[in-house]
Amino acid sequence: MAQARRATAADSVLDPGFFDSDAQQSEAWLAWSDRTAVDARIETLFTETLPRLEAERNNGNPSLPDGRFSAAAFDRVVFLIESAVLDEDGIYTPENDYLADQFITYIGEWLVRRVEGVWFNSPENGTTIFDGYGPAIGYRWSAESENDLLALLFTMAVHSDDSPYAYFVDLMYGRALTFADEQDRPELKAELLS
């Protein structure tokens, strides 16, 4: 895909009325959203965190699907992270911020790679997980000018009475199916619905 991965100061369409042009050049944001840093967090997620979670869940028999950015992998990552970030009482605690960081990175990068999302900084939506920035994804292709404030969505999900799993699966299907229809991508639609 040839689209830009990260918003520029001119990308107000990604978050109409709220886009902070200066925040896109924040030193902390540029460091966090640097492609090397994003790739490193995803590598840690897939080579350390998820195998450990799979082993804990399946008595040492990992069952991660092939293809890190497949719909099946997205589904499995969401399932494993949900069980890991909540304690035995179903409460999210700040000591799991490192898991939240890996998870938010993965979800955002999935949206960048699979549905042409663009990373942008929404600092007021970083919640307590991030200091001075808030990872978000916007969609230049969307006529609706929708965006996903990932840290805010994560916080809402882990503090809801519903399953956090459902929030992110709904996000994947909502964005990806709309993208597949609008951009004539039947192979993506078939993958999501299989």
Side-chain angles (χ1 to χ4, degrees), residues 11-19 117-118 120 136-149 175 178 182:
D11 274 320
S12 62
V13 68
L14 297 176
D15 194 18
F18 300 98
F19 190 80
V118 178
F120 74 94
I137 299 291
Y139 307 93
R140 291 182 179 126
W141 54 264
S142 174
E144 303 293 320
S145 298
E146 296 191 45
N147 59 55
D148 294 304
L149 307 171
R175 294 294 179 247
T178 301
E182 287 186 19

PDB file of all heavy atoms in Angstrom, residues 11-19 117-118 120 136-149 175 178 182:
ATOM      1  N   ASP A  11      -3.599  17.117   7.918  1.00  0.00           N
ATOM      2  CA  ASP A  11      -4.598  16.055   7.856  1.00  0.00           C
ATOM      3  C   ASP A  11      -5.800  16.252   8.772  1.00  0.00           C
ATOM      4  O   ASP A  11      -6.279  15.310   9.397  1.00  0.00           O
ATOM      5  CB  ASP A  11      -3.951  14.703   8.187  1.00  0.00           C
ATOM      6  CG  ASP A  11      -3.342  14.049   6.978  1.00  0.00           C
ATOM      7  OD1 ASP A  11      -3.956  14.111   5.900  1.00  0.00           O
ATOM      8  OD2 ASP A  11      -2.261  13.464   7.111  1.00  0.00           O
ATOM      9  N   SER A  12      -6.348  17.434   8.826  1.00  0.00           N
ATOM     10  CA  SER A  12      -7.472  17.699   9.725  1.00  0.00           C
ATOM     11  C   SER A  12      -8.697  16.858   9.403  1.00  0.00           C
ATOM     12  O   SER A  12      -9.557  16.656  10.254  1.00  0.00           O
ATOM     13  CB  SER A  12      -7.833  19.183   9.715  1.00  0.00           C
ATOM     14  OG  SER A  12      -8.250  19.567   8.419  1.00  0.00           O
ATOM     15  N   VAL A  13      -8.793  16.334   8.191  1.00  0.00           N
ATOM     16  CA  VAL A  13      -9.922  15.489   7.808  1.00  0.00           C
ATOM     17  C   VAL A  13      -9.973  14.204   8.647  1.00  0.00           C
ATOM     18  O   VAL A  13     -11.023  13.585   8.771  1.00  0.00           O
ATOM     19  CB  VAL A  13      -9.877  15.147   6.296  1.00  0.00           C
ATOM     20  CG1 VAL A  13      -8.698  14.241   5.969  1.00  0.00           C
ATOM     21  CG2 VAL A  13     -11.171  14.525   5.832  1.00  0.00           C
ATOM     22  N   LEU A  14      -8.852  13.821   9.260  1.00  0.00           N
ATOM     23  CA  LEU A  14      -8.828  12.599  10.056  1.00  0.00           C
ATOM     24  C   LEU A  14      -9.608  12.730  11.366  1.00  0.00           C
ATOM     25  O   LEU A  14     -10.060  11.737  11.919  1.00  0.00           O
ATOM     26  CB  LEU A  14      -7.383  12.182  10.360  1.00  0.00           C
ATOM     27  CG  LEU A  14      -6.546  11.825   9.143  1.00  0.00           C
ATOM     28  CD1 LEU A  14      -5.109  11.526   9.558  1.00  0.00           C
ATOM     29  CD2 LEU A  14      -7.141  10.655   8.375  1.00  0.00           C
ATOM     30  N   ASP A  15      -9.737  13.937  11.864  1.00  0.00           N
ATOM     31  CA  ASP A  15     -10.458  14.174  13.119  1.00  0.00           C
ATOM     32  C   ASP A  15     -11.084  15.563  13.047  1.00  0.00           C
ATOM     33  O   ASP A  15     -10.655  16.487  13.739  1.00  0.00           O
ATOM     34  CB  ASP A  15      -9.487  14.057  14.294  1.00  0.00           C
ATOM     35  CG  ASP A  15     -10.183  13.954  15.640  1.00  0.00           C
ATOM     36  OD1 ASP A  15     -11.385  13.636  15.670  1.00  0.00           O
ATOM     37  OD2 ASP A  15      -9.512  14.188  16.663  1.00  0.00           O
ATOM     38  N   PRO A  16     -12.096  15.742  12.193  1.00  0.00           N
ATOM     39  CA  PRO A  16     -12.649  17.085  11.921  1.00  0.00           C
ATOM     40  C   PRO A  16     -13.073  17.814  13.187  1.00  0.00           C
ATOM     41  O   PRO A  16     -13.770  17.266  14.030  1.00  0.00           O
ATOM     42  CB  PRO A  16     -13.855  16.792  11.030  1.00  0.00           C
ATOM     43  CG  PRO A  16     -13.580  15.457  10.437  1.00  0.00           C
ATOM     44  CD  PRO A  16     -12.801  14.697  11.485  1.00  0.00           C
ATOM     45  N   GLY A  17     -12.615  19.033  13.289  1.00  0.00           N
ATOM     46  CA  GLY A  17     -12.979  19.867  14.430  1.00  0.00           C
ATOM     47  C   GLY A  17     -12.122  19.662  15.660  1.00  0.00           C
ATOM     48  O   GLY A  17     -12.149  20.471  16.583  1.00  0.00           O
ATOM     49  N   PHE A  18     -11.357  18.586  15.719  1.00  0.00           N
ATOM     50  CA  PHE A  18     -10.566  18.275  16.899  1.00  0.00           C
ATOM     51  C   PHE A  18      -9.093  18.033  16.591  1.00  0.00           C
ATOM     52  O   PHE A  18      -8.292  17.890  17.498  1.00  0.00           O
ATOM     53  CB  PHE A  18     -11.118  17.036  17.610  1.00  0.00           C
ATOM     54  CG  PHE A  18     -12.526  17.203  18.065  1.00  0.00           C
ATOM     55  CD1 PHE A  18     -13.571  16.695  17.309  1.00  0.00           C
ATOM     56  CD2 PHE A  18     -12.825  17.879  19.237  1.00  0.00           C
ATOM     57  CE1 PHE A  18     -14.885  16.847  17.714  1.00  0.00           C
ATOM     58  CE2 PHE A  18     -14.136  18.045  19.649  1.00  0.00           C
ATOM     59  CZ  PHE A  18     -15.174  17.529  18.884  1.00  0.00           C
ATOM     60  N   PHE A  19      -8.742  17.952  15.322  1.00  0.00           N
ATOM     61  CA  PHE A  19      -7.376  17.611  14.923  1.00  0.00           C
ATOM     62  C   PHE A  19      -6.395  18.663  15.418  1.00  0.00           C
ATOM     63  O   PHE A  19      -6.568  19.849  15.172  1.00  0.00           O
ATOM     64  CB  PHE A  19      -7.293  17.487  13.400  1.00  0.00           C
ATOM     65  CG  PHE A  19      -5.996  16.915  12.907  1.00  0.00           C
ATOM     66  CD1 PHE A  19      -5.770  15.555  12.936  1.00  0.00           C
ATOM     67  CD2 PHE A  19      -4.998  17.740  12.396  1.00  0.00           C
ATOM     68  CE1 PHE A  19      -4.582  15.023  12.475  1.00  0.00           C
ATOM     69  CE2 PHE A  19      -3.818  17.221  11.931  1.00  0.00           C
ATOM     70  CZ  PHE A  19      -3.600  15.849  11.972  1.00  0.00           C
ATOM     71  N   GLY A 117      -5.644   2.686   7.198  1.00  0.00           N
ATOM     72  CA  GLY A 117      -5.731   3.686   8.253  1.00  0.00           C
ATOM     73  C   GLY A 117      -4.454   4.502   8.317  1.00  0.00           C
ATOM     74  O   GLY A 117      -3.427   4.130   7.738  1.00  0.00           O
ATOM     75  N   VAL A 118      -4.520   5.625   9.008  1.00  0.00           N
ATOM     76  CA  VAL A 118      -3.377   6.518   9.174  1.00  0.00           C
ATOM     77  C   VAL A 118      -3.251   6.825  10.669  1.00  0.00           C
ATOM     78  O   VAL A 118      -4.224   7.240  11.309  1.00  0.00           O
ATOM     79  CB  VAL A 118      -3.578   7.837   8.388  1.00  0.00           C
ATOM     80  CG1 VAL A 118      -2.416   8.784   8.604  1.00  0.00           C
ATOM     81  CG2 VAL A 118      -3.783   7.550   6.910  1.00  0.00           C
ATOM     82  N   PHE A 120      -2.535   8.940  13.850  1.00  0.00           N
ATOM     83  CA  PHE A 120      -2.437  10.352  14.219  1.00  0.00           C
ATOM     84  C   PHE A 120      -2.502  10.475  15.729  1.00  0.00           C
ATOM     85  O   PHE A 120      -2.909   9.551  16.427  1.00  0.00           O
ATOM     86  CB  PHE A 120      -3.486  11.222  13.516  1.00  0.00           C
ATOM     87  CG  PHE A 120      -4.903  11.106  14.022  1.00  0.00           C
ATOM     88  CD1 PHE A 120      -5.391  11.985  14.977  1.00  0.00           C
ATOM     89  CD2 PHE A 120      -5.754  10.152  13.498  1.00  0.00           C
ATOM     90  CE1 PHE A 120      -6.711  11.901  15.425  1.00  0.00           C
ATOM     91  CE2 PHE A 120      -7.070  10.063  13.931  1.00  0.00           C
ATOM     92  CZ  PHE A 120      -7.552  10.940  14.904  1.00  0.00           C
ATOM     93  N   ALA A 136      -4.203   7.230  17.681  1.00  0.00           N
ATOM     94  CA  ALA A 136      -5.503   7.170  17.021  1.00  0.00           C
ATOM     95  C   ALA A 136      -5.288   6.802  15.557  1.00  0.00           C
ATOM     96  O   ALA A 136      -4.191   6.964  15.024  1.00  0.00           O
ATOM     97  CB  ALA A 136      -6.214   8.512  17.136  1.00  0.00           C
ATOM     98  N   ILE A 137      -6.344   6.307  14.941  1.00  0.00           N
ATOM     99  CA  ILE A 137      -6.314   5.946  13.523  1.00  0.00           C
ATOM    100  C   ILE A 137      -7.429   6.698  12.819  1.00  0.00           C
ATOM    101  O   ILE A 137      -8.575   6.710  13.283  1.00  0.00           O
ATOM    102  CB  ILE A 137      -6.511   4.422  13.322  1.00  0.00           C
ATOM    103  CG1 ILE A 137      -5.399   3.629  13.998  1.00  0.00           C
ATOM    104  CG2 ILE A 137      -6.617   4.079  11.838  1.00  0.00           C
ATOM    105  CD1 ILE A 137      -4.034   3.772  13.359  1.00  0.00           C
ATOM    106  N   GLY A 138      -7.074   7.318  11.694  1.00  0.00           N
ATOM    107  CA  GLY A 138      -8.050   7.981  10.841  1.00  0.00           C
ATOM    108  C   GLY A 138      -8.052   7.314   9.476  1.00  0.00           C
ATOM    109  O   GLY A 138      -7.147   6.526   9.154  1.00  0.00           O
ATOM    110  N   TYR A 139      -9.045   7.648   8.679  1.00  0.00           N
ATOM    111  CA  TYR A 139      -9.230   6.991   7.381  1.00  0.00           C
ATOM    112  C   TYR A 139      -9.478   8.042   6.309  1.00  0.00           C
ATOM    113  O   TYR A 139     -10.551   8.636   6.263  1.00  0.00           O
ATOM    114  CB  TYR A 139     -10.407   6.006   7.457  1.00  0.00           C
ATOM    115  CG  TYR A 139     -10.257   5.053   8.607  1.00  0.00           C
ATOM    116  CD1 TYR A 139     -10.834   5.328   9.845  1.00  0.00           C
ATOM    117  CD2 TYR A 139      -9.507   3.894   8.473  1.00  0.00           C
ATOM    118  CE1 TYR A 139     -10.667   4.469  10.917  1.00  0.00           C
ATOM    119  CE2 TYR A 139      -9.341   3.020   9.535  1.00  0.00           C
ATOM    120  CZ  TYR A 139      -9.924   3.316  10.757  1.00  0.00           C
ATOM    121  OH  TYR A 139      -9.755   2.467  11.820  1.00  0.00           O
ATOM    122  N   ARG A 140      -8.498   8.258   5.467  1.00  0.00           N
ATOM    123  CA  ARG A 140      -8.660   9.239   4.390  1.00  0.00           C
ATOM    124  C   ARG A 140      -9.709   8.793   3.382  1.00  0.00           C
ATOM    125  O   ARG A 140     -10.304   9.613   2.701  1.00  0.00           O
ATOM    126  CB  ARG A 140      -7.312   9.451   3.695  1.00  0.00           C
ATOM    127  CG  ARG A 140      -6.299  10.157   4.555  1.00  0.00           C
ATOM    128  CD  ARG A 140      -4.993  10.392   3.803  1.00  0.00           C
ATOM    129  NE  ARG A 140      -4.037  11.087   4.627  1.00  0.00           N
ATOM    130  CZ  ARG A 140      -2.812  10.649   4.860  1.00  0.00           C
ATOM    131  NH1 ARG A 140      -2.383   9.529   4.315  1.00  0.00           N
ATOM    132  NH2 ARG A 140      -1.994  11.339   5.620  1.00  0.00           N
ATOM    133  N   TRP A 141      -9.933   7.508   3.256  1.00  0.00           N
ATOM    134  CA  TRP A 141     -10.875   6.981   2.271  1.00  0.00           C
ATOM    135  C   TRP A 141     -12.327   7.096   2.729  1.00  0.00           C
ATOM    136  O   TRP A 141     -13.240   6.956   1.939  1.00  0.00           O
ATOM    137  CB  TRP A 141     -10.572   5.505   1.955  1.00  0.00           C
ATOM    138  CG  TRP A 141     -10.504   4.621   3.170  1.00  0.00           C
ATOM    139  CD1 TRP A 141      -9.390   4.251   3.861  1.00  0.00           C
ATOM    140  CD2 TRP A 141     -11.600   3.996   3.851  1.00  0.00           C
ATOM    141  NE1 TRP A 141      -9.718   3.450   4.920  1.00  0.00           N
ATOM    142  CE2 TRP A 141     -11.071   3.264   4.938  1.00  0.00           C
ATOM    143  CE3 TRP A 141     -12.985   3.972   3.650  1.00  0.00           C
ATOM    144  CZ2 TRP A 141     -11.867   2.531   5.817  1.00  0.00           C
ATOM    145  CZ3 TRP A 141     -13.779   3.246   4.531  1.00  0.00           C
ATOM    146  CH2 TRP A 141     -13.205   2.540   5.595  1.00  0.00           C
ATOM    147  N   SER A 142     -12.558   7.347   3.991  1.00  0.00           N
ATOM    148  CA  SER A 142     -13.909   7.319   4.544  1.00  0.00           C
ATOM    149  C   SER A 142     -14.648   8.630   4.296  1.00  0.00           C
ATOM    150  O   SER A 142     -14.203   9.695   4.720  1.00  0.00           O
ATOM    151  CB  SER A 142     -13.864   7.046   6.050  1.00  0.00           C
ATOM    152  OG  SER A 142     -15.159   7.157   6.602  1.00  0.00           O
ATOM    153  N   ALA A 143     -15.779   8.530   3.648  1.00  0.00           N
ATOM    154  CA  ALA A 143     -16.628   9.704   3.433  1.00  0.00           C
ATOM    155  C   ALA A 143     -17.217  10.204   4.746  1.00  0.00           C
ATOM    156  O   ALA A 143     -17.630  11.351   4.865  1.00  0.00           O
ATOM    157  CB  ALA A 143     -17.749   9.360   2.448  1.00  0.00           C
ATOM    158  N   GLU A 144     -17.243   9.338   5.745  1.00  0.00           N
ATOM    159  CA  GLU A 144     -17.810   9.686   7.048  1.00  0.00           C
ATOM    160  C   GLU A 144     -16.822  10.426   7.936  1.00  0.00           C
ATOM    161  O   GLU A 144     -17.189  10.875   9.010  1.00  0.00           O
ATOM    162  CB  GLU A 144     -18.259   8.404   7.770  1.00  0.00           C
ATOM    163  CG  GLU A 144     -19.253   7.573   6.999  1.00  0.00           C
ATOM    164  CD  GLU A 144     -20.585   8.258   6.845  1.00  0.00           C
ATOM    165  OE1 GLU A 144     -21.040   8.896   7.806  1.00  0.00           O
ATOM    166  OE2 GLU A 144     -21.162   8.158   5.752  1.00  0.00           O
ATOM    167  N   SER A 145     -15.553  10.518   7.524  1.00  0.00           N
ATOM    168  CA  SER A 145     -14.496  11.138   8.340  1.00  0.00           C
ATOM    169  C   SER A 145     -14.450  10.536   9.737  1.00  0.00           C
ATOM    170  O   SER A 145     -14.357  11.238  10.734  1.00  0.00           O
ATOM    171  CB  SER A 145     -14.687  12.657   8.418  1.00  0.00           C
ATOM    172  OG  SER A 145     -14.596  13.230   7.149  1.00  0.00           O
ATOM    173  N   GLU A 146     -14.539   9.219   9.786  1.00  0.00           N
ATOM    174  CA  GLU A 146     -14.502   8.536  11.074  1.00  0.00           C
ATOM    175  C   GLU A 146     -13.070   8.331  11.510  1.00  0.00           C
ATOM    176  O   GLU A 146     -12.145   8.341  10.709  1.00  0.00           O
ATOM    177  CB  GLU A 146     -15.214   7.191  10.956  1.00  0.00           C
ATOM    178  CG  GLU A 146     -16.681   7.370  10.637  1.00  0.00           C
ATOM    179  CD  GLU A 146     -17.467   6.097  10.778  1.00  0.00           C
ATOM    180  OE1 GLU A 146     -17.259   5.401  11.775  1.00  0.00           O
ATOM    181  OE2 GLU A 146     -18.269   5.814   9.900  1.00  0.00           O
ATOM    182  N   ASN A 147     -12.893   8.142  12.803  1.00  0.00           N
ATOM    183  CA  ASN A 147     -11.586   7.824  13.352  1.00  0.00           C
ATOM    184  C   ASN A 147     -11.772   6.922  14.561  1.00  0.00           C
ATOM    185  O   ASN A 147     -12.884   6.761  15.064  1.00  0.00           O
ATOM    186  CB  ASN A 147     -10.830   9.100  13.716  1.00  0.00           C
ATOM    187  CG  ASN A 147     -11.585   9.931  14.725  1.00  0.00           C
ATOM    188  OD1 ASN A 147     -11.941   9.455  15.791  1.00  0.00           O
ATOM    189  ND2 ASN A 147     -11.844  11.184  14.402  1.00  0.00           N
ATOM    190  N   ASP A 148     -10.671   6.328  14.979  1.00  0.00           N
ATOM    191  CA  ASP A 148     -10.697   5.454  16.146  1.00  0.00           C
ATOM    192  C   ASP A 148      -9.646   5.917  17.140  1.00  0.00           C
ATOM    193  O   ASP A 148      -8.449   5.873  16.851  1.00  0.00           O
ATOM    194  CB  ASP A 148     -10.449   4.002  15.717  1.00  0.00           C
ATOM    195  CG  ASP A 148     -11.584   3.490  14.855  1.00  0.00           C
ATOM    196  OD1 ASP A 148     -12.737   3.551  15.327  1.00  0.00           O
ATOM    197  OD2 ASP A 148     -11.332   3.046  13.727  1.00  0.00           O
ATOM    198  N   LEU A 149     -10.094   6.404  18.274  1.00  0.00           N
ATOM    199  CA  LEU A 149      -9.224   6.858  19.346  1.00  0.00           C
ATOM    200  C   LEU A 149      -8.894   5.630  20.191  1.00  0.00           C
ATOM    201  O   LEU A 149      -9.645   5.245  21.081  1.00  0.00           O
ATOM    202  CB  LEU A 149      -9.923   7.948  20.153  1.00  0.00           C
ATOM    203  CG  LEU A 149     -10.470   9.112  19.319  1.00  0.00           C
ATOM    204  CD1 LEU A 149     -11.335  10.030  20.162  1.00  0.00           C
ATOM    205  CD2 LEU A 149      -9.344   9.867  18.637  1.00  0.00           C
ATOM    206  N   ARG A 175     -14.879  -1.383  10.533  1.00  0.00           N
ATOM    207  CA  ARG A 175     -13.982  -0.664   9.627  1.00  0.00           C
ATOM    208  C   ARG A 175     -13.643  -1.500   8.390  1.00  0.00           C
ATOM    209  O   ARG A 175     -13.659  -1.007   7.270  1.00  0.00           O
ATOM    210  CB  ARG A 175     -12.682  -0.277  10.331  1.00  0.00           C
ATOM    211  CG  ARG A 175     -12.869   0.723  11.413  1.00  0.00           C
ATOM    212  CD  ARG A 175     -13.334   2.073  10.864  1.00  0.00           C
ATOM    213  NE  ARG A 175     -13.515   2.977  11.965  1.00  0.00           N
ATOM    214  CZ  ARG A 175     -14.677   3.456  12.356  1.00  0.00           C
ATOM    215  NH1 ARG A 175     -15.770   3.140  11.714  1.00  0.00           N
ATOM    216  NH2 ARG A 175     -14.757   4.271  13.377  1.00  0.00           N
ATOM    217  N   THR A 178     -16.632  -2.103   5.893  1.00  0.00           N
ATOM    218  CA  THR A 178     -16.937  -0.858   5.191  1.00  0.00           C
ATOM    219  C   THR A 178     -15.869  -0.578   4.137  1.00  0.00           C
ATOM    220  O   THR A 178     -16.182  -0.239   2.993  1.00  0.00           O
ATOM    221  CB  THR A 178     -17.023   0.316   6.186  1.00  0.00           C
ATOM    222  OG1 THR A 178     -18.048   0.036   7.138  1.00  0.00           O
ATOM    223  CG2 THR A 178     -17.322   1.625   5.476  1.00  0.00           C
ATOM    224  N   GLU A 182     -16.476  -0.278   0.162  1.00  0.00           N
ATOM    225  CA  GLU A 182     -16.217   1.003  -0.505  1.00  0.00           C
ATOM    226  C   GLU A 182     -15.049   0.940  -1.480  1.00  0.00           C
ATOM    227  O   GLU A 182     -15.028   1.667  -2.470  1.00  0.00           O
ATOM    228  CB  GLU A 182     -15.957   2.096   0.532  1.00  0.00           C
ATOM    229  CG  GLU A 182     -17.204   2.524   1.274  1.00  0.00           C
ATOM    230  CD  GLU A 182     -16.966   3.706   2.193  1.00  0.00           C
ATOM    231  OE1 GLU A 182     -15.960   4.444   2.023  1.00  0.00           O
ATOM    232  OE2 GLU A 182     -17.791   3.903   3.100  1.00  0.00           O
TER     233      GLU A 182
END
